[in-house]
């Protein structure tokens, strides 16, 4: 797998690097960012947190705004931030912000024209970790986290692949996409009209039916403009209680949907993951 380094910046004794590579899964060139803590400078392999971003974002938003590098350096955790969708002139797109480029929803599309490129689930679960683990001094100890659409992706992917992740966390996740406008629009386009297929990508449905568990932490701001219509944390909470799933759902008065919210609690999330990654 050939990758090209696009940028490199030293940060808290480690390195933030940005790369591009050809994705066979997505049939296009893709970009990702990685933060390698100081502990990765020798022969030691460090665990990895995969961060999935939300609608309209790229690999850059979290790395530039969340302020995660200091804690990651102290804890010895690498962070990998992929893009949120396939990119390129030949990739299908939509005029709206919540479908197409920047809005991959971390599913494997089955409907044309989206199925030519939009296989973000396979990319995040299989191709990208294989590339990261073959290229950088990281171990196979993985955690996953994300925000909004990326929070949906992180929870859903961990629930479907409990053997691959030590822990999962999310900020303001789209918790019940089969029952919200964002999810219904994306799933109908990418997956067609069979709602049963949608349920395979819904964290609240998956959590209620989970046979294995992954320790989960979710933070939700109470002043989030998308809370009632799009995010629906109450569905995730109900599923966790019905299944007795190890989910800690925390609500925070006054916080909104922005990266100010993420930056306020990202250190606690990293420490949460570090605990399980070290076991």
């Amino acid at each position: 797998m050939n990758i090209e380094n696009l940028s490199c910046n030293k940060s808290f004794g480690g390195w933030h690097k940005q790369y591009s590579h050809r994705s066979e899964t997505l049939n296009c060139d893709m970009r990702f960012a990685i933060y390698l803590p100081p502990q990765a400078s020798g022969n030691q392999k460090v665990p990895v947190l995969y961060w999935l971003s939300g609608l309209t974002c790229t690999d850059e938003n979290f790395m530039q705004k969340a302020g995660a590098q200091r804690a990651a350096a102290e804890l010895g955790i690498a962070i990998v931030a992929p893009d949120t969708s396939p990119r390129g002139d030949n990739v299908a797109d939509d005029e709206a912000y919540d479908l197409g480029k920047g809005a991959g929803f971390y599913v494997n599309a089955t409907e044309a024209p989206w199925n030519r490129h939009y296989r973000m689930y396979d990319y995040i679960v299989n191709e990208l970790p294989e590339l990261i683990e073959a290229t950088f001094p990281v171990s196979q100890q993985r955690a996953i986290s994300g925000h909004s659409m990326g929070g949906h992706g992180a929870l859903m992917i961990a629930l479907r692949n409990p053997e691959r992740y030590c822990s999962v966390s999310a900020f303001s996740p789209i918790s019940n996409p089969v029952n919200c406008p964002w999810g219904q629009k994306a799933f109908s386009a990418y997956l067609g009209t069979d709602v049963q297929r949608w349920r395979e990508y819904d964290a609240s449905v998956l959590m209620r039916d989970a046979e294995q568990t992954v320790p989960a932490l979710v933070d939700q701001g109470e002043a989030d403009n998308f809370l009632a219509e799009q995010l629906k944390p109450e569905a995730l909470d109900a599923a966790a209680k019905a299944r007795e799933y190890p989910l800690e759902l925390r609500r925070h008065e006054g916080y909104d949907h922005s990266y100010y919210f993420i930056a306020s609690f990202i250190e606690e999330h990293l420490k949460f993951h570090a605990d399980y990654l070290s076991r």
Side-chain angles (χ1 to χ4, degrees):
M1 298 182 185
N2 293 323
I3 67 172
E4 178 185 357
N5 180 233
L6 302 176
S7 66
C8 184
N9 303 95
K10 193 162 188 178
S11 177
F12 295 99
W15 292 93
H16 169 272
K17 300 183 179 184
Q18 191 179 53
Y19 289 89
S20 66
H21 74 105
R22 181 71 182 179
S23 169
E24 298 303 322
T25 300
L26 303 177
N27 192 28
C28 65
D29 292 336
M30 287 295 286
R31 197 175 69 188
F32 68 87
I34 183 168
Y35 176 71
L36 293 167
Q39 295 87 338
S41 61
N43 295 324
Q44 178 181 349
K45 291 187 175 182
V46 299
V48 185
L49 173 68
Y50 289 87
W51 173 269
L52 308 184
S53 289
L55 290 166
T56 74
C57 291
T58 69
D59 62 291
E60 294 182 336
N61 298 72
F62 175 80
M63 291 298 201
Q64 294 180 2
K65 295 180 179 180
Q69 289 87 348
R70 180 182 61 79
E74 293 176 358
L75 296 167
I77 298 174
I79 301 175
V80 173
D83 204 345
T84 52
S85 77
R87 304 280 180 175
D89 293 339
N90 296 322
V91 174
D93 198 11
D94 189 86
E95 292 182 357
Y97 75 95
D98 53 0
L99 186 68
K101 294 178 186 178
F105 268 84
Y106 306 102
V107 305
N108 285 340
T110 57
E111 304 300 300
W114 311 104
N115 56 355
R116 292 188 60 233
H117 298 282
Y118 285 76
R119 299 186 61 83
M120 287 297 292
Y121 175 86
D122 281 350
Y123 177 71
I124 298 299
V125 174
N126 296 311
E127 186 180 25
L128 183 60
E130 181 181 345
L131 173 62
I132 296 299
E133 290 163 15
T135 306
F136 301 100
V138 301
S139 71
Q140 293 184 346
Q141 293 291 102
R142 310 177 196 96
I144 191 166
S145 184
H147 171 233
S148 194
M149 178 186 72
H152 138 74
L155 290 167
M156 174 269 294
I157 285 171
L159 286 160
R160 289 181 56 163
N161 301 273
E163 74 287 349
R164 291 184 63 86
Y165 302 97
C166 299
S167 52
V168 58
S169 74
F171 291 85
S172 316
I174 303 172
S175 296
N176 192 202
V178 302
N179 288 316
C180 79
W182 277 340
Q184 290 166 348
K185 178 178 180 178
F187 286 3
S188 61
Y190 297 143
L191 304 173
T193 58
D194 183 357
V195 176
Q196 187 58 40
R197 190 180 296 165
W198 300 6
R199 292 168 63 85
E200 298 173 7
Y201 294 100
D202 187 299
S204 295
V205 173
L206 293 167
M207 185 171 286
R208 189 177 290 270
D209 297 334
E211 295 182 1
Q212 295 178 257
T213 64
V214 180
L217 171 64
V218 171
D219 278 336
Q220 175 63 60
E222 290 291 291
D224 193 317
N225 291 336
F226 304 111
L227 179 58
E229 183 180 24
Q230 303 284 11
L231 305 182
K232 300 187 180 298
E234 65 277 1
L236 192 69
D237 190 37
K241 289 176 179 175
R243 172 60 180 81
E244 296 184 347
Y245 199 93
L247 167 69
E248 182 180 3
L249 174 58
R250 310 189 303 188
R251 295 173 179 264
H252 302 274
E253 183 180 355
Y255 286 94
D256 58 18
H257 201 70
S258 71
Y259 270 86
Y260 294 108
F261 175 43
I262 297 171
S264 298
F265 297 100
I266 189 62
E267 183 173 350
E268 294 179 23
H269 279 239
L270 287 168
K271 288 180 177 177
F272 167 79
H273 291 296
D275 183 31
Y276 290 100
L277 289 166
S278 64
R279 296 186 184 185

